[in-house]
Amino acid sequence: MTTGTRTGRRAGASGTRDAIAAAARRQFAALGYDRTSLRQVGIEAGVDPTLVGHFFGSKQQLFAAVTELPFDPATTIPALLDGPRDEIGIRLARFAVGLLETPAARERVVALVRAAASEDEAARVIRDLLTRAVMLPIAEGLGADQAPYRASLVMSQIVGITVARHIVGIEPLAGREPEALIADLAPVLQRYLTADLAPPSGAAVSG
Amino acid sequence: MTTGTRTGRRAGASGTRDAIAAAARRQFAALGYDRTSLRQVGIEAGVDPTLVGHFFGSKQQLFAAVTELPFDPATTIPALLDGPRDEIGIRLARFAVGLLETPAARERVVALVRAAASEDEAARVIRDLLTRAVMLPIAEGLGADQAPYRASLVMSQIVGITVARHIVGIEPLAGREPEALIADLAPVLQRYLTADLAPPSGAAVSG
């Protein structure tokens, strides 16, 4: 069903999967998300590059798997994009606030954001994984202009909610009922994703 | 011009000021912003309580002075409230983004937010000083309902911008020209401060 490994050094599926994950962690750390390729990960792992896709799917899924994101982008992104374009704000607010209400997921996200304040590795996960591999495909899926900038604006508000509500504990935001917070965040996330933005004047000049 | 000190133990104005500042730091740390009073600070400092106001002005100003905020709430708050109510978003965005563009101020705010991820003392400064003593009077000055909640929502976005733009470095937000970012943040801050919010359903039930 799968192609054989090129070297045959790996004992079985579990060994192959572990070797790919280890190579992926090294390459994502060394090169960043954009410059890492499934093909190079396979080569570094000493396996047939097609096996990387076989075991992990897309680059987004590989990255999510090796960094233990508390949700699966492969199902989350299509689910968030599935619905009216002018209701992406409420769907995304419901997902983000809901995720942070789940103790195990909150623990992981809070640990990540907390670590990002001082460790570049954690900051990179927020930049590359949450922004680049999750939020950007959502912004792009909506077909609006300036998708990368929109993705980063949305992340700024979601990170801000994580810090204000779950780390610093700013009241009454920290104790706000999830449904009310979702309703208040939805129009802001909607605006960041689909409303007209200021033109990126920096893009009009060279350099 | 001033009343004499109660104990006469302090050598001069500088010694008195230092004693008040030290007592204020202790009381703000032990009691939090709300339960600290100028009178009790004066008593703990061993000076006539009226001297606290003489040296530091209001409680907000005392708190700002002992925590070395990179702006003066006594001038900043009235300046932000001075103008059309439906333009508070742009005034506040201009102030916050502008402050973070000034290297010395940015350094202090970034250090504070970074520390707040792990130290309760820094988290308390964000809760008490930035939210309670600066943002809340602005929200109250606008006369909208749910002023404390509005203040905490605004803080979540400003903290989020600080983290995303200046700590984690999420592009293209991190490199966005200040004027464009101000234009994109303004409607969001305006919404948080003056638009209709979801009703606080928690407030309708007892407990």
Side-chain angles (χ1 to χ4, degrees):
Chain A
M1 191 165 154
T2 69
T3 61
T5 64
R6 177 182 294 175
T7 66
R9 278 186 287 132
R10 304 295 161 194
S14 167
T16 303
R17 199 180 189 287
D18 291 351
I20 293 170
R25 281 195 195 90
R26 284 192 299 272
Q27 293 212 4
F28 281 128
L31 304 174
Y33 182 83
D34 284 345
R35 287 186 295 149
T36 295
S37 73
L38 297 192
R39 181 174 163 73
Q40 283 300 322
V41 166
I43 290 170
E44 179 169 333
V47 304
D48 188 304
T50 62
L51 282 180
V52 180
H54 170 73
F55 278 105
F56 289 96
S58 67
K59 183 160 83 168
Q60 286 162 16
Q61 290 172 287
L62 175 62
F63 195 17
V66 302
T67 51
E68 299 187 329
L69 205 63
F71 60 89
D72 180 5
T75 55
T76 300
I77 295 170
L80 285 168
L81 285 171
D82 182 24
R85 187 174 188 272
D86 62 0
E87 292 174 11
I88 180 66
I90 186 85
R91 293 196 298 276
L92 183 55
R94 192 175 302 285
F95 171 74
V97 172
L99 190 75
L100 288 164
E101 288 300 307
T102 313
R106 177 174 63 239
E107 197 173 285
R108 242 187 255 180
V109 175
V110 163
L112 181 64
V113 171
R114 207 186 277 268
S118 51
E119 295 166 27
D120 192 58
E121 172 63 19
R124 191 183 57 77
V125 172
I126 293 179
R127 288 193 302 266
D128 281 352
L129 179 51
L130 292 178
T131 309
R132 189 86 185 66
V134 176
M135 207 55 72
L136 179 58
I138 293 171
E140 286 174 340
L142 296 165
D145 64 333
Q146 303 188 56
Y149 177 55
R150 293 177 186 278
S152 61
L153 281 174
V154 168
M155 282 309 302
S156 80
Q157 180 58 93
I158 292 178
V159 166
I161 287 290
T162 305
V163 173
R165 182 167 161 93
H166 301 290
I167 297 177
V168 171
I170 301 179
E171 292 294 355
L173 175 60
R176 189 75 165 185
E177 324 80 78
E179 279 307 313
L181 177 59
I182 289 165
D184 295 326
L185 278 182
V188 168
L189 302 185
Q190 183 75 45
R191 158 173 282 278
Y192 284 153
L193 284 169
T194 62
D196 286 346
L197 295 176
S201 62
V205 294
S206 66
Chain B
M1 189 165 152
T2 68
T3 60
T5 66
R6 177 182 292 173
T7 65
R9 279 186 285 132
R10 306 296 163 192
S14 167
T16 303
R17 198 180 190 286
D18 291 350
I20 293 170
R25 280 195 196 92
R26 284 192 299 271
Q27 293 212 3
F28 281 129
L31 305 175
Y33 182 83
D34 284 345
R35 288 186 294 151
T36 295
S37 73
L38 297 193
R39 181 175 162 74
Q40 283 300 322
V41 167
I43 290 170
E44 178 168 335
V47 304
D48 187 305
T50 61
L51 282 181
V52 179
H54 171 74
F55 279 105
F56 289 96
S58 68
K59 184 158 83 166
Q60 285 163 15
Q61 290 172 286
L62 175 62
F63 195 18
V66 302
T67 50
E68 299 186 328
L69 205 63
F71 59 89
D72 180 5
T75 54
T76 300
I77 295 170
L80 285 169
L81 285 171
D82 182 24
R85 187 176 189 271
D86 62 0
E87 292 174 12
I88 181 65
I90 187 85
R91 292 196 299 275
L92 183 54
R94 194 176 299 286
F95 172 73
V97 173
L99 190 75
L100 288 163
E101 287 299 307
T102 314
R106 177 174 63 238
E107 197 173 286
R108 244 188 252 179
V109 175
V110 163
L112 180 64
V113 171
R114 207 185 278 268
S118 51
E119 296 167 27
D120 192 59
E121 171 64 20
R124 192 183 57 76
V125 171
I126 292 179
R127 288 193 302 266
D128 281 353
L129 179 51
L130 291 177
T131 308
R132 189 85 185 66
V134 175
M135 207 54 72
L136 180 58
I138 292 172
E140 287 175 340
L142 296 165
D145 65 334
Q146 304 187 56
Y149 178 55
R150 293 177 185 279
S152 60
L153 281 175
V154 168
M155 282 309 300
S156 81
Q157 180 58 94
I158 292 178
V159 166
I161 288 291
T162 305
V163 173
R165 183 166 159 94
H166 300 290
I167 297 177
V168 171
I170 300 179
E171 292 294 355
L173 175 60
R176 188 75 163 184
E177 325 80 77
E179 279 307 313
L181 178 58
I182 289 166
D184 295 327
L185 278 181
V188 168
L189 302 184
Q190 183 75 44
R191 158 173 280 279
Y192 284 153
L193 285 169
T194 62
D196 286 346
L197 294 177
S201 63
V205 293
S206 65

